[in-house]
Amino acid sequence: SSPLMEQLNFFHDHTLLILTMITILVGYIMGMLMFNKFTNRFLLHGQTIEIIWTVLPAIILMFIAFPSLRLLYLMDEINTPSITLKSIGHQWYWSYEYSDFLNLEFDSYMIPTNELETNGFRLLDVDNRVVLPMNNQIRILVTATDVLHSWTVPSLGVKVDATPGRLNQINFLINRPGLFFGQCSEI
């Protein structure tokens, strides 16, 4: 639902492909060592093979580290936001303030299971939903009043910690319209 989440999915697939290739290669080598009765006398003692099995993992780690660092900088990039939303975590609910507008703030409580409609989502639906524009940079300022919280919307690839006395921010862009559910993912 956002370019950030697409990049996270691409990185996941990239890393999974590298790990699959490593697992297949190591499994093949272990299988060949178990069922092969021959031994290469030059393979047991030699600086060449030691250099190879030291340098090759370092190169493989660089193939994982460089896309990871690129993604970290992409996630931390702050563009000029079109709208700013302040989210304040409380013990059992979130408070929201649209700081670009005058006096537009509300509390968002989770709907109890006995009050849910038949098409409602248990433990995800709230009484007041946040409405955000599509194809615009959005900045969320997150803080808490009592304990640690984590403002998370998994389909957007957004997760930011809410700490009492500290103001954290995150930027994202929504690609498509929809109803996206989030939750506090702090234990």
Side-chain angles (χ1 to χ4, degrees):
S1 300
S2 71
L4 182 62
M5 193 61 199
E6 289 175 11
Q7 292 297 317
L8 284 169
N9 280 335
F10 291 151
F11 176 68
H12 172 267
D13 295 343
H14 170 76
T15 307
L16 195 63
L17 185 67
I18 291 174
L19 290 176
T20 303
M21 291 188 313
I22 290 172
T23 304
I24 290 171
L25 178 69
V26 169
Y28 173 75
I29 291 173
M30 286 177 63
M32 294 308 296
L33 285 174
M34 289 177 65
F35 298 115
N36 192 358
K37 295 185 189 315
F38 301 113
T39 304
N40 185 350
R41 65 186 175 121
F42 298 113
L43 193 63
L44 294 178
H45 298 289
Q47 289 183 342
T48 308
I49 192 68
E50 289 178 7
I51 290 172
I52 290 173
W53 73 46
T54 304
V55 171
L56 190 64
I59 292 171
I60 291 171
L61 285 176
M62 283 193 293
F63 275 104
I64 294 173
F66 287 141
S68 173
L69 289 173
R70 181 188 151 273
L71 192 57
L72 277 174
Y73 282 112
L74 182 71
M75 290 174 69
D76 203 32
E77 183 178 333
I78 302 296
N79 296 325
T80 307
S82 301
I83 189 168
T84 300
L85 175 72
K86 185 176 181 185
S87 176
I88 305 166
H90 300 278
Q91 191 72 33
W92 295 105
Y93 65 97
W94 289 89
S95 296
Y96 295 101
E97 300 173 7
Y98 287 94
S99 58
D100 298 332
F101 306 101
L102 296 175
N103 288 337
L104 187 53
E105 43 188 75
F106 59 92
D107 294 334
S108 181
Y109 290 92
M110 187 170 39
I111 298 175
T113 306
N114 59 349
E115 296 178 13
L116 266 181
E117 297 178 10
T118 55
N119 60 353
F121 292 98
R122 183 177 166 268
L123 299 177
L124 288 176
D125 253 337
V126 293
D127 57 353
N128 294 317
R129 294 180 175 158
V130 173
V131 179
L132 295 172
M134 188 179 82
N135 293 328
N136 286 314
Q137 281 294 325
I138 301 162
R139 176 174 57 185
I140 307 285
L141 301 173
V142 181
T143 188
T145 59
D146 44 18
V147 294
L148 294 176
H149 297 281
S150 183
W151 195 88
T152 307
V153 182
S155 59
L156 296 176
V158 175
K159 180 176 182 179
V160 61
D161 288 332
T163 309
R166 183 182 171 116
L167 193 63
N168 292 329
Q169 74 173 351
I170 193 160
N171 265 19
F172 62 92
L173 181 126
I174 301 174
N175 269 354
R176 62 181 181 87
L179 181 61
F180 306 111
F181 291 103
Q183 66 269 354
C184 178
S185 58
E186 191 73 40
I187 295 179

